[in-house]
Amino acid sequence: MLTKRIIPCLDIKDGRTVKGVNFENIRDAGDPIELGALYAAQGADELVFLDITATNERRKTLSELVTRIAKHVNIPFTVGGGISSVEDVNVLLQSGADKISVNTSAFKRPELVDELAREFGSQCVVLAIDTRFEDGDWYVYLNGGRVKTEVKAYDWAKEAVGRGAGEILLTSMNNDGTKQGFALDITGKLSQNLNVPVIASGGAGTMDHFMDVFETAQADAALAASIFHYKEIEIPALKTYLYQRGLNIRF
């Protein structure tokens, strides 16, 4: 049985960690390097850094940030935000990232997933999907949740895995920031039907929510942001709680 992973997520805007609710009302949550190092020390299994800044200088600033993160963080970390080419990924991996996450760019040009998997290996390629439940199904949203598509989340995830994505990071926009629990139905559908790990994101509020997404939805990893940033749940306590309930957790 594979170890279940706990992954803090740091959304970065203009070099600072920020957090919103349902993708809106952004507020400051601290320095990403300090937070990342703290989470690593506390026993986080991995980290995800998502650059939500829209800037032409993105590649340069992001690669500099990644270099700094790699110096201070001793656990695997994924970087995403505005990545749209093999060259972008090359720069980030050389700067010290372990994996990269693609979202809108991959949806708009699915061949990107094939190219990245071929060049760097599937283990480096995380496909991020922002999804919202409406009209009876879960649909893919682009551009940080601002643009709706007519494609269902499961269909896109399945295609991307077929093209070489090694992991799916699934964020429910309905649940994001609400602290009401993860979207167990769509997370479970992906976890139980795709042969790659699925990271559940959006909605963590209690330790039981993590238990639910691991047990009921069979997610491989659970990602959260504000509950960690604002110290509502501490990683060591969460891991102890899950371990005591029979989950395979790494300490």
Side-chain angles (χ1 to χ4, degrees):
M1 184 174 142
L2 282 173
T3 311
K4 300 293 189 183
R5 289 170 291 148
I6 301 295
I7 306 178
C9 178
L10 298 92
D11 289 334
I12 297 170
K13 187 171 195 286
D14 303 323
R16 296 288 293 175
T17 309
V18 296
K19 187 63 196 115
V21 176
N22 300 121
F23 285 47
E24 290 172 355
N25 303 327
I26 303 291
R27 62 180 176 139
D28 189 271
D31 176 81
I33 315 258
E34 284 175 18
L35 278 174
L38 170 70
Y39 295 146
Q42 285 185 343
D45 297 292
E46 293 179 25
L47 297 169
V48 171
F49 295 89
L50 297 177
D51 182 20
I52 61 173
T53 311
T55 161
N56 300 329
E57 288 285 288
R58 184 195 291 269
R59 186 192 285 177
K60 187 166 157 292
T61 50
L62 195 52
S63 66
E64 284 168 0
L65 181 68
V66 168
T67 303
R68 286 170 56 219
I69 293 166
K71 279 198 184 107
H72 294 91
V73 168
N74 60 354
I75 58 174
F77 68 93
T78 300
V79 178
I83 295 170
S84 58
S85 68
V86 164
E87 179 52 29
D88 286 346
V89 173
N90 206 26
V91 168
L92 295 171
L93 293 180
Q94 285 187 341
S95 300
D98 297 277
K99 298 187 257 191
I100 57 85
S101 156
V102 285
N103 189 329
T104 299
S105 57
F107 185 90
K108 289 185 169 169
R109 195 173 71 80
E111 301 76 38
L112 177 62
V113 179
D114 304 74
E115 292 163 12
L116 297 180
R118 203 162 45 235
E119 187 76 22
F120 306 106
S122 290
Q123 79 285 347
C124 284
V125 183
V126 179
L127 180 80
I129 300 177
D130 296 328
T131 185
R132 183 190 284 280
F133 185 79
E134 54 194 7
D135 306 325
D137 216 321
W138 291 90
Y139 288 90
V140 176
Y141 269 71
L142 305 178
N143 297 99
R146 287 187 290 276
V147 178
K148 187 195 175 191
T149 73
E150 294 306 316
V151 176
K152 293 173 182 174
Y154 176 73
D155 295 341
W156 169 225
K158 191 175 176 187
E159 179 185 341
V161 169
R163 289 177 177 276
E167 198 162 23
I168 303 288
L169 168 53
L170 182 74
T171 301
S172 161
M173 294 172 60
N174 304 70
N175 300 57
D176 178 69
T178 63
K179 299 182 187 168
Q180 300 295 305
F182 294 95
L184 301 180
D185 53 345
I186 185 63
T187 304
K189 186 173 181 182
L190 267 61
S191 299
Q192 292 156 37
N193 290 288
L194 301 175
N195 60 352
V196 301
V198 173
I199 305 167
S201 163
T206 68
M207 295 192 194
D208 277 338
H209 291 154
F210 287 88
M211 197 70 207
D212 291 341
V213 84
F214 286 138
E215 276 211 321
T216 308
Q218 295 171 30
D220 298 270
L223 177 146
S226 56
I227 57 165
F228 296 140
H229 301 341
Y230 303 122
K231 299 186 169 50
E232 292 160 32
I233 291 179
E234 301 269 358
I235 292 166
L238 173 60
K239 286 195 145 188
T240 301
Y241 179 88
L242 296 172
Y243 178 75
Q244 287 171 345
R245 277 153 189 76
L247 282 181
N248 197 9
I249 295 288
R250 184 183 67 84
F251 282 96

